[in-house]
Amino acid sequence: MKQNVQKSSRLTQRLLLTPYSVWAVLFIVVPLIFVAYYAFTDTNFNFTFDNIARFFTATSTVDDGSATREVHTYLVIFGRSLKLAVISTAICLLLGYPMAYIIARANARAQKIIITLIMIPMWMNFLIRTYAWMTILQDTGIINGFLSALGLGRIHIIGTEAAVVIGMVYDYFPYMVLPIYSIMAKMDNRLIEAAYDLGCSGSGVLRRVIWPLSLPGVISGALMSFTMSLDDFVISYFVSGLDFVTLPVEIYSYTKKPLHPKIYALFTLLFLLILVLMVTMNLIQLRGDKKRAAAHSGV
């Protein structure tokens, strides 16, 4: 009887998942297959690696004032995108980890208020938020107006890498805080109390108890913040200057021209990078879960 109930429950779950599975295959998997196909074919639909190879070999001439030199165009653009994603993710983690800890230790009412305040910007249109930051960061914006009032002079922020990082941190900060908070909220306080009773200092408790237990949330938050920063277009396009190009902006620029296989190659490489990163982080998290399970079973 119990086995029949379990089989019926599994069948019901599969039936409920069927509409989404069909949707995912038709509108996610199939388009990705077509993109990959065009990435490895030329304009005559013959199989080739030239589109992928162009990402590593394409060069352009750059005049740095003293001399001209050849640079790998796409590698420079990709390096810039990777650097901005790493910086914004690191800042989100530095700011989000203590914030998540504070929320997890607060009472239920304070938790709801703080989480609501963090979530409010996400209820607004993404483009409107970006335009708001453009207004704040421009040379005549609020920040420069405040600095001028203090007699410190104006600084040029809009159109720089710093402006892009600020926009990314603002928009993707909740994606770092919420996963870490969800893990910390489930943390057993008795473990922390036991660590203090055994003579651990505050830093020792953080290093040996809180950080290892919260690592799954950190990995999840860092993965979401990094992938969204690496794949960001709106912030990079509107907040940066005309000569500031990231990989998503470069891909967008090709959509204004007759489609060439190299745009599919760029998208495929970006997708593969994100996919490899997600698989790697999930494997690291799975290994950590197995170690913790083994430790608990050993106890």
Side-chain angles (χ1 to χ4, degrees):
M1 182 67 180
K2 185 177 181 180
Q3 291 180 348
N4 292 333
V5 172
Q6 290 178 346
K7 289 182 180 179
S8 177
S9 177
R10 285 196 294 266
L11 179 61
T12 302
Q13 292 176 356
R14 291 175 182 175
L15 291 175
L16 292 174
L17 288 174
T18 298
Y20 173 76
S21 300
V22 173
W23 176 275
V25 170
L26 291 178
F27 297 101
I28 299 178
V29 178
V30 173
L32 288 176
I33 292 175
F34 274 103
V35 168
Y37 169 76
Y38 286 120
F40 290 97
T41 56
D42 57 20
T43 54
N44 296 320
F45 303 103
N46 297 315
F47 181 81
T48 180
F49 283 105
D50 291 343
N51 301 319
I52 301 296
R54 188 178 288 110
F55 179 84
F56 301 97
T57 59
T59 60
S60 60
T61 303
V62 175
D63 188 356
D64 57 8
S66 58
T68 59
R69 54 192 175 90
E70 295 289 325
V71 298
H72 291 279
T73 308
Y74 297 122
L75 290 181
V76 171
I77 294 173
F78 173 74
R80 180 184 297 125
S81 300
L82 189 63
K83 178 181 70 173
L84 294 175
V86 170
I87 293 174
S88 64
T89 302
I91 295 176
C92 285
L93 179 59
L94 290 175
L95 298 177
Y97 194 86
M99 176 62 72
Y101 181 79
I102 292 173
I103 299 173
R105 312 316 269 174
N107 57 58
R109 182 179 179 183
Q111 287 183 7
K112 292 179 181 179
I113 293 175
I114 298 174
I115 291 176
T116 301
L117 292 176
I118 292 175
M119 294 291 294
I120 283 177
M122 300 178 66
W123 300 342
M124 299 172 57
N125 182 273
F126 191 85
L127 189 58
I128 294 176
R129 284 182 281 160
T130 303
Y131 270 110
W133 272 107
M134 291 172 61
T135 304
I136 294 172
L137 297 176
Q138 64 184 352
D139 294 340
T140 57
I142 297 175
I143 294 179
N144 276 308
F146 180 73
L147 293 175
S148 298
L150 296 177
L152 300 176
R154 298 177 180 271
I155 58 175
H156 180 68
I157 306 176
I158 193 72
T160 64
E161 291 186 354
V164 176
V165 170
I166 291 173
M168 288 180 175
V169 170
Y170 170 77
D171 282 309
Y172 305 133
F173 179 75
Y175 296 97
M176 179 68 75
V177 173
L178 297 179
I180 300 176
Y181 157 72
S182 65
I183 296 297
M184 286 187 171
K186 302 173 185 176
M187 196 177 297
D188 192 345
N189 292 329
R190 293 174 297 180
L191 297 174
I192 299 175
E193 295 172 358
Y196 280 117
D197 292 339
L198 293 174
C200 267
S201 61
S203 60
V205 172
L206 175 62
R207 186 177 68 257
R208 298 180 180 181
V209 180
I210 299 177
W211 174 258
L213 292 177
S214 63
L215 194 57
V218 172
I219 293 175
S220 178
L223 181 61
M224 285 193 291
S225 297
F226 179 82
T227 54
M228 296 182 75
S229 298
L230 183 64
D231 198 35
D232 172 77
F233 164 75
V234 175
I235 298 172
S236 302
Y237 184 79
F238 288 97
V239 177
S240 62
L242 296 176
D243 298 328
F244 187 89
V245 181
T246 59
L247 195 57
V249 174
E250 180 71 8
I251 293 174
Y252 171 74
S253 67
Y254 285 114
T255 62
K256 301 177 182 179
K257 310 170 186 177
L259 292 181
H260 190 276
K262 63 183 177 181
I263 187 176
Y264 299 108
L266 290 176
F267 176 83
T268 300
L269 290 171
L270 182 61
F271 171 76
L272 289 177
L273 173 66
I274 295 175
L275 180 63
V276 169
L277 179 64
M278 292 178 64
V279 172
T280 302
M281 298 295 278
N282 285 329
L283 289 176
I284 293 174
Q285 185 171 346
L286 181 62
R287 181 180 297 180
D289 292 340
K290 288 182 178 180
K291 288 182 179 180
R292 284 188 290 271
H296 283 299
S297 62
V299 174

